[in-house]
Amino acid sequence: MVLLEEIREISIVSASKIVMLVIDGLGGLPDAKTGRTELETAHTPYLDQLAKKGICGLIDPVSPGITPGSGPGHLALFGYDPLKFTIGRGVLEALGIGFELTKNDVAARGNFCTVDGNGLITDRRAGRITTEKCVELCKLLSQIKLEGVELFVWPVKEHRFMMTLRGKGLSAEISDTDPQRLGVAPNSAIAEGSQAKQTVRAVNNFINEASKILASHHPANMILLRGFSKLPDIPSMSEIYKLTPAAIAVYPMYKGLAKLIGMKIFNADGGIQEELKVLAGCFEKHDFFYVHVKYADSAGEDGDFSRKVKVIEEVDSALPQLLNLKPDVIVVTGDHSTPAVLKGHSWHPVPVLLYSQWCRSDNAKEFSESACITGGLGRLHATDIMPLAMANALKLTKFGA
Amino acid sequence: MVLLEEIREISIVSASKIVMLVIDGLGGLPDAKTGRTELETAHTPYLDQLAKKGICGLIDPVSPGITPGSGPGHLALFGYDPLKFTIGRGVLEALGIGFELTKNDVAARGNFCTVDGNGLITDRRAGRITTEKCVELCKLLSQIKLEGVELFVWPVKEHRFMMTLRGKGLSAEISDTDPQRLGVAPNSAIAEGSQAKQTVRAVNNFINEASKILASHHPANMILLRGFSKLPDIPSMSEIYKLTPAAIAVYPMYKGLAKLIGMKIFNADGGIQEELKVLAGCFEKHDFFYVHVKYADSAGEDGDFSRKVKVIEEVDSALPQLLNLKPDVIVVTGDHSTPAVLKGHSWHPVPVLLYSQWCRSDNAKEFSESACITGGLGRLHATDIMPLAMANALKLTKFGA
């Protein structure tokens, strides 16, 4: 694993183009009956052909045994060590709903919750109120006035919302108010750094006003806040790689993450076909393209093995559209595994395939977990993928003389 | 990747002997017609037999995707993390011409260049003057007297030279005078650290005197200096591994690098046959032998696929000479890949084979990039090779109780 600072020194601008196709939650586990994973079950002639011409391997997004969230999984693919560049929960929540954070913002993840007559928590999720109710309550809380800071309260889903304070000199060094257990009162926010006093005052004023407004809205009669955070200090892909990167994605969180590291965002609605149309439209003007396919992960999370197989097959059948653009380097991989049998993200390493004229092909004859085990890339840290893609695009000069 | 300090604690002296045969630029890429790399094309019965008896793998000298210079590539093979132990350009230039640096020296890489009547650079390489002219000008510049420091100006090749200042308390924290572009005047040297004032004065005096001397030598009427550096602070192989290491090499830079980490240098002229004779001559007195074969890299750099094949075949046919000495451990590898089709160093991992009585052999039946993919060593960081060689020589005790 090389440091970004070394890459910054040796990266150069060139005309070659890199496409990184991220099939969210790509890696899987075998179906009990067939013994084959989702990727191994899917009929994928184009991916298999690309694997045959290219070089394959397995990547660990964070570290062997560690199940990554989508944030760390993606950061690693873009070459940012997810153990070094951490994104706060509040910021992730904001990115996830498309809220445009500025450097003056402190964001927190919020829960509506239920407290009893003594103010003790009886339900940390307020009986999972509907999203409609959440929207209504957020509108009410948005009207709270705080001295010297601007307030944003945006609904997320069910009992979840995002709160952001905007103002000069705000600090995110604030303790959670969510005690993460029942039968106790919510904590007051406490300054964890000397710079956070003003922010803590604003947060506690907000909670105080919110509790008055919500008193009549049982079961959502109180709020809990956690994960106070600011935009991370993270160098852009153009600084490090000298790329002009473009992101093609549907979901806000992935667009937000991509924006965080300086990608230009291209919206796409619908599936891979639509995304590849957008790719073709912006192909001339950029040299790195992140294409995000969400639905494999969603199917895995739902435990729907055959739907995940279908999503992978859709990607495969759309692949010619991508190949027609003749990118110099193609990477196909995932940000983590989401085996349908586990109904969630998992720690299993993710299949990766890299194709370029200079990739030094291996014996992998298909794109599958088992073929990738013996692939020429071996087992890599996910942060090695960007340097490899850059090298194959002949965009890196020698390190040392 | 283990730290040198841990190795230092567990290494022991024993009678066993290790030979590390470094075929410079060994790794390659397939020829378009045959689909086989240089190593796969070469007829190498002895290497194949050794691979069959030994254990194989692929190594990344710096990190996946990173193309190493010869300095980092070699340091890694000797167990020194090239991201931690960096060698300045001036020092490398000095090593490359066999100049014996001391701890009191600051070395820089120099270019003769052309400036116009206003002192603005019009050619950073002075029209690539001949090496003869370079020798003549270096002789003139060597006569410059600087107060309190000794001056060395040695020719390298064409417009390139090495300048070294020798004296107590000199510092290398000096900015380059080479602005790396045309139409501007050369920069003055500037102290980048508080200790560098005396050195900067000497450097700028040197430049000033040099410009007077060179005024009548258009197009080489000025100089540019960069990469000011001192010998790196690097522990010797005898300190870390308790070895008495010997280096057998032809080119100055490799001898210089080997000397830097405390190897005894044995000169050899000519090819591998000659080198192995020298090896036999010093085999009794040492326990680690670095044998460097330069010409595979030279052929690769020239884009001469079949000449690289031939060099590898020469190494193979000489191998019995080496085997006859019955070293306990034999490592055959390269410091980086130099595919003839790329005409230069590349990022591709380098085949490695290790043979010892205790190596736990694998299924690799030949020494080739594709066989090494599935070798028992897997894909390793190059700095892991020395600990493995030491272990196979039974020169490492247990780590921890």
mmCIF file of all heavy atoms in Angstrom, chain B residues 8 38 42 71-72 98 134 144 160 169 171 173 179 197 226 237 257 283 324 329 345 349-350 367 370 376 396:
data_model
loop_
_atom_site.group_PDB
_atom_site.id
_atom_site.type_symbol
_atom_site.label_atom_id
_atom_site.label_comp_id
_atom_site.label_asym_id
_atom_site.label_seq_id
_atom_site.Cartn_x
_atom_site.Cartn_y
_atom_site.Cartn_z
ATOM 1 N N ARG B 8 16.756 -7.684 13.420
ATOM 2 C CA ARG B 8 18.006 -7.472 14.150
ATOM 3 C C ARG B 8 18.005 -8.274 15.465
ATOM 4 O O ARG B 8 19.023 -8.821 15.876
ATOM 5 C CB ARG B 8 18.141 -5.971 14.464
ATOM 6 C CG ARG B 8 19.500 -5.564 15.029
ATOM 7 C CD ARG B 8 19.386 -4.228 15.774
ATOM 8 N NE ARG B 8 19.142 -3.079 14.931
ATOM 9 C CZ ARG B 8 20.092 -2.229 14.520
ATOM 10 N NH1 ARG B 8 21.342 -2.428 14.875
ATOM 11 N NH2 ARG B 8 19.777 -1.196 13.779
ATOM 12 N N GLU B 38 9.505 -12.809 -22.023
ATOM 13 C CA GLU B 38 10.922 -13.092 -22.268
ATOM 14 C C GLU B 38 11.349 -14.349 -21.497
ATOM 15 O O GLU B 38 11.971 -15.259 -22.054
ATOM 16 C CB GLU B 38 11.785 -11.900 -21.834
ATOM 17 C CG GLU B 38 11.525 -10.607 -22.614
ATOM 18 C CD GLU B 38 10.427 -9.733 -22.007
ATOM 19 O OE1 GLU B 38 9.454 -10.282 -21.451
ATOM 20 O OE2 GLU B 38 10.552 -8.491 -22.102
ATOM 21 N N ALA B 42 12.491 -17.949 -23.097
ATOM 22 C CA ALA B 42 13.859 -18.460 -22.923
ATOM 23 C C ALA B 42 13.844 -19.949 -22.570
ATOM 24 O O ALA B 42 12.989 -20.414 -21.822
ATOM 25 C CB ALA B 42 14.575 -17.664 -21.835
ATOM 26 N N GLY B 71 17.319 1.912 -7.611
ATOM 27 C CA GLY B 71 17.653 2.094 -6.195
ATOM 28 C C GLY B 71 16.601 1.456 -5.295
ATOM 29 O O GLY B 71 16.897 0.506 -4.555
ATOM 30 N N PRO B 72 15.340 1.917 -5.359
ATOM 31 C CA PRO B 72 14.284 1.323 -4.543
ATOM 32 C C PRO B 72 14.132 -0.186 -4.779
ATOM 33 O O PRO B 72 13.911 -0.942 -3.834
ATOM 34 C CB PRO B 72 13.019 2.069 -4.985
ATOM 35 C CG PRO B 72 13.511 3.351 -5.564
ATOM 36 C CD PRO B 72 14.865 3.089 -6.124
ATOM 37 N N GLY B 98 30.746 5.742 -9.300
ATOM 38 C CA GLY B 98 31.782 5.166 -8.449
ATOM 39 C C GLY B 98 32.486 6.177 -7.563
ATOM 40 O O GLY B 98 33.569 5.917 -7.039
ATOM 41 N N CYS B 134 31.966 17.295 -21.730
ATOM 42 C CA CYS B 134 31.558 17.285 -20.318
ATOM 43 C C CYS B 134 32.789 17.060 -19.428
ATOM 44 O O CYS B 134 32.985 17.746 -18.422
ATOM 45 C CB CYS B 134 30.507 16.201 -20.095
ATOM 46 S SG CYS B 134 29.883 16.104 -18.408
ATOM 47 N N ILE B 144 37.743 25.454 -9.236
ATOM 48 C CA ILE B 144 37.159 26.526 -8.424
ATOM 49 C C ILE B 144 37.499 26.287 -6.949
ATOM 50 O O ILE B 144 37.429 25.151 -6.469
ATOM 51 C CB ILE B 144 35.617 26.578 -8.624
ATOM 52 C CG1 ILE B 144 35.298 27.014 -10.058
ATOM 53 C CG2 ILE B 144 34.958 27.501 -7.604
ATOM 54 C CD1 ILE B 144 33.822 26.884 -10.422
ATOM 55 N N ARG B 160 25.392 15.767 -18.302
ATOM 56 C CA ARG B 160 25.183 15.482 -16.883
ATOM 57 C C ARG B 160 26.507 15.386 -16.115
ATOM 58 O O ARG B 160 27.460 14.777 -16.578
ATOM 59 C CB ARG B 160 24.412 14.166 -16.717
ATOM 60 C CG ARG B 160 22.961 14.259 -17.079
ATOM 61 C CD ARG B 160 22.366 12.883 -17.310
ATOM 62 N NE ARG B 160 22.624 11.984 -16.182
ATOM 63 C CZ ARG B 160 22.474 10.662 -16.234
ATOM 64 N NH1 ARG B 160 22.077 10.094 -17.364
ATOM 65 N NH2 ARG B 160 22.706 9.922 -15.181
ATOM 66 N N GLY B 169 29.732 19.832 8.889
ATOM 67 C CA GLY B 169 28.542 20.646 9.132
ATOM 68 C C GLY B 169 27.768 21.025 7.885
ATOM 69 O O GLY B 169 26.877 21.870 7.944
ATOM 70 N N SER B 171 24.957 20.741 5.011
ATOM 71 C CA SER B 171 23.573 20.241 5.019
ATOM 72 C C SER B 171 23.055 20.103 3.596
ATOM 73 O O SER B 171 23.445 20.859 2.707
ATOM 74 C CB SER B 171 22.681 21.218 5.800
ATOM 75 O OG SER B 171 21.326 20.993 5.478
ATOM 76 N N GLU B 173 19.836 20.318 2.936
ATOM 77 C CA GLU B 173 18.501 20.947 2.886
ATOM 78 C C GLU B 173 18.558 22.220 2.048
ATOM 79 O O GLU B 173 18.446 23.338 2.559
ATOM 80 C CB GLU B 173 17.999 21.225 4.296
ATOM 81 C CG GLU B 173 17.659 19.933 5.032
ATOM 82 C CD GLU B 173 17.026 20.191 6.378
ATOM 83 O OE1 GLU B 173 17.600 20.980 7.156
ATOM 84 O OE2 GLU B 173 15.958 19.603 6.649
ATOM 85 N N PRO B 179 15.033 25.262 -12.480
ATOM 86 C CA PRO B 179 13.596 25.587 -12.434
ATOM 87 C C PRO B 179 12.767 24.617 -13.264
ATOM 88 O O PRO B 179 11.545 24.698 -13.260
ATOM 89 C CB PRO B 179 13.529 26.997 -13.008
ATOM 90 C CG PRO B 179 14.719 27.096 -13.910
ATOM 91 C CD PRO B 179 15.778 26.183 -13.369
ATOM 92 N N LYS B 197 22.791 27.232 5.860
ATOM 93 C CA LYS B 197 23.262 28.538 5.372
ATOM 94 C C LYS B 197 24.674 28.492 4.799
ATOM 95 O O LYS B 197 24.933 29.023 3.732
ATOM 96 C CB LYS B 197 23.185 29.566 6.501
ATOM 97 C CG LYS B 197 21.759 30.060 6.703
ATOM 98 C CD LYS B 197 21.668 31.100 7.792
ATOM 99 C CE LYS B 197 20.195 31.347 8.141
ATOM 100 N NZ LYS B 197 20.047 32.049 9.406
ATOM 101 N N ARG B 226 20.467 19.984 -8.878
ATOM 102 C CA ARG B 226 19.265 19.521 -8.161
ATOM 103 C C ARG B 226 19.546 18.241 -7.380
ATOM 104 O O ARG B 226 20.568 17.588 -7.567
ATOM 105 C CB ARG B 226 18.097 19.311 -9.112
ATOM 106 C CG ARG B 226 18.335 18.287 -10.193
ATOM 107 C CD ARG B 226 17.125 18.261 -11.132
ATOM 108 N NE ARG B 226 17.447 17.649 -12.388
ATOM 109 C CZ ARG B 226 16.748 16.634 -12.924
ATOM 110 N NH1 ARG B 226 15.704 16.155 -12.292
ATOM 111 N NH2 ARG B 226 17.096 16.122 -14.081
ATOM 112 N N MET B 237 23.820 -4.394 6.541
ATOM 113 C CA MET B 237 23.320 -5.774 6.555
ATOM 114 C C MET B 237 23.987 -6.584 7.669
ATOM 115 O O MET B 237 23.393 -7.530 8.186
ATOM 116 C CB MET B 237 23.574 -6.447 5.207
ATOM 117 C CG MET B 237 22.681 -5.925 4.094
ATOM 118 S SD MET B 237 22.939 -6.816 2.532
ATOM 119 C CE MET B 237 21.916 -8.280 2.783
ATOM 120 N N LEU B 257 25.434 1.040 -4.301
ATOM 121 C CA LEU B 257 24.276 0.719 -3.452
ATOM 122 C C LEU B 257 24.632 -0.370 -2.441
ATOM 123 O O LEU B 257 24.284 -0.285 -1.262
ATOM 124 C CB LEU B 257 23.129 0.205 -4.323
ATOM 125 C CG LEU B 257 22.003 1.161 -4.637
ATOM 126 C CD1 LEU B 257 21.007 0.486 -5.571
ATOM 127 C CD2 LEU B 257 21.301 1.613 -3.374
ATOM 128 N N PHE B 283 33.750 -17.447 -2.077
ATOM 129 C CA PHE B 283 32.641 -18.197 -1.455
ATOM 130 C C PHE B 283 32.961 -18.616 -0.016
ATOM 131 O O PHE B 283 32.070 -18.635 0.842
ATOM 132 C CB PHE B 283 32.290 -19.418 -2.309
ATOM 133 C CG PHE B 283 30.920 -19.965 -2.029
ATOM 134 C CD1 PHE B 283 29.784 -19.246 -2.380
ATOM 135 C CD2 PHE B 283 30.749 -21.201 -1.412
ATOM 136 C CE1 PHE B 283 28.504 -19.740 -2.122
ATOM 137 C CE2 PHE B 283 29.472 -21.702 -1.153
ATOM 138 C CZ PHE B 283 28.352 -20.971 -1.505
ATOM 139 N N ASN B 324 27.073 -25.929 -8.133
ATOM 140 C CA ASN B 324 28.232 -26.711 -7.665
ATOM 141 C C ASN B 324 28.784 -26.224 -6.336
ATOM 142 O O ASN B 324 29.401 -26.979 -5.595
ATOM 143 C CB ASN B 324 29.358 -26.662 -8.712
ATOM 144 C CG ASN B 324 29.066 -27.604 -9.858
ATOM 145 O OD1 ASN B 324 28.217 -28.494 -9.724
ATOM 146 N ND2 ASN B 324 29.739 -27.402 -10.993
ATOM 147 N N VAL B 329 20.913 -21.632 0.502
ATOM 148 C CA VAL B 329 19.724 -20.955 -0.013
ATOM 149 C C VAL B 329 20.083 -20.245 -1.315
ATOM 150 O O VAL B 329 21.107 -19.562 -1.392
ATOM 151 C CB VAL B 329 19.183 -19.910 0.993
ATOM 152 C CG1 VAL B 329 17.952 -19.200 0.432
ATOM 153 C CG2 VAL B 329 18.865 -20.562 2.332
ATOM 154 N N HIS B 345 11.463 0.271 -17.349
ATOM 155 C CA HIS B 345 10.994 -0.341 -16.104
ATOM 156 C C HIS B 345 9.469 -0.366 -16.104
ATOM 157 O O HIS B 345 8.841 0.497 -16.712
ATOM 158 C CB HIS B 345 11.443 0.491 -14.898
ATOM 159 C CG HIS B 345 12.923 0.502 -14.676
ATOM 160 N ND1 HIS B 345 13.478 0.884 -13.479
ATOM 161 C CD2 HIS B 345 13.954 0.174 -15.477
ATOM 162 C CE1 HIS B 345 14.796 0.799 -13.560
ATOM 163 N NE2 HIS B 345 15.113 0.385 -14.767
ATOM 164 N N PRO B 349 4.714 -7.218 -11.148
ATOM 165 C CA PRO B 349 5.446 -7.922 -10.104
ATOM 166 C C PRO B 349 6.492 -8.852 -10.716
ATOM 167 O O PRO B 349 6.364 -9.282 -11.861
ATOM 168 C CB PRO B 349 4.352 -8.698 -9.363
ATOM 169 C CG PRO B 349 3.217 -8.804 -10.312
ATOM 170 C CD PRO B 349 3.287 -7.574 -11.173
ATOM 171 N N VAL B 350 7.532 -9.141 -9.953
ATOM 172 C CA VAL B 350 8.714 -9.820 -10.470
ATOM 173 C C VAL B 350 8.713 -11.280 -10.007
ATOM 174 O O VAL B 350 8.471 -11.560 -8.837
ATOM 175 C CB VAL B 350 9.991 -9.118 -9.956
ATOM 176 C CG1 VAL B 350 11.228 -9.707 -10.611
ATOM 177 C CG2 VAL B 350 9.907 -7.616 -10.171
ATOM 178 N N PHE B 367 10.246 -21.811 -14.147
ATOM 179 C CA PHE B 367 10.428 -20.448 -13.670
ATOM 180 C C PHE B 367 9.880 -19.501 -14.725
ATOM 181 O O PHE B 367 10.509 -19.259 -15.762
ATOM 182 C CB PHE B 367 11.910 -20.182 -13.410
ATOM 183 C CG PHE B 367 12.161 -18.891 -12.662
ATOM 184 C CD1 PHE B 367 11.368 -18.532 -11.573
ATOM 185 C CD2 PHE B 367 13.199 -18.045 -13.022
ATOM 186 C CE1 PHE B 367 11.597 -17.359 -10.869
ATOM 187 C CE2 PHE B 367 13.443 -16.862 -12.323
ATOM 188 C CZ PHE B 367 12.639 -16.524 -11.246
ATOM 189 N N SER B 370 3.877 -16.855 -15.311
ATOM 190 C CA SER B 370 2.583 -17.516 -15.105
ATOM 191 C C SER B 370 2.681 -18.631 -14.073
ATOM 192 O O SER B 370 1.745 -18.834 -13.296
ATOM 193 C CB SER B 370 2.005 -18.017 -16.427
ATOM 194 O OG SER B 370 2.998 -18.631 -17.214
ATOM 195 N N GLY B 376 3.935 -21.160 -4.328
ATOM 196 C CA GLY B 376 3.685 -21.259 -2.886
ATOM 197 C C GLY B 376 4.012 -20.007 -2.102
ATOM 198 O O GLY B 376 3.532 -19.835 -0.977
ATOM 199 N N LEU B 396 17.453 -17.322 11.506
ATOM 200 C CA LEU B 396 16.531 -16.502 12.308
ATOM 201 C C LEU B 396 15.966 -17.355 13.439
ATOM 202 O O LEU B 396 15.481 -18.468 13.191
ATOM 203 C CB LEU B 396 15.372 -15.978 11.453
ATOM 204 C CG LEU B 396 15.659 -14.920 10.385
ATOM 205 C CD1 LEU B 396 14.348 -14.481 9.723
ATOM 206 C CD2 LEU B 396 16.378 -13.708 10.967
#
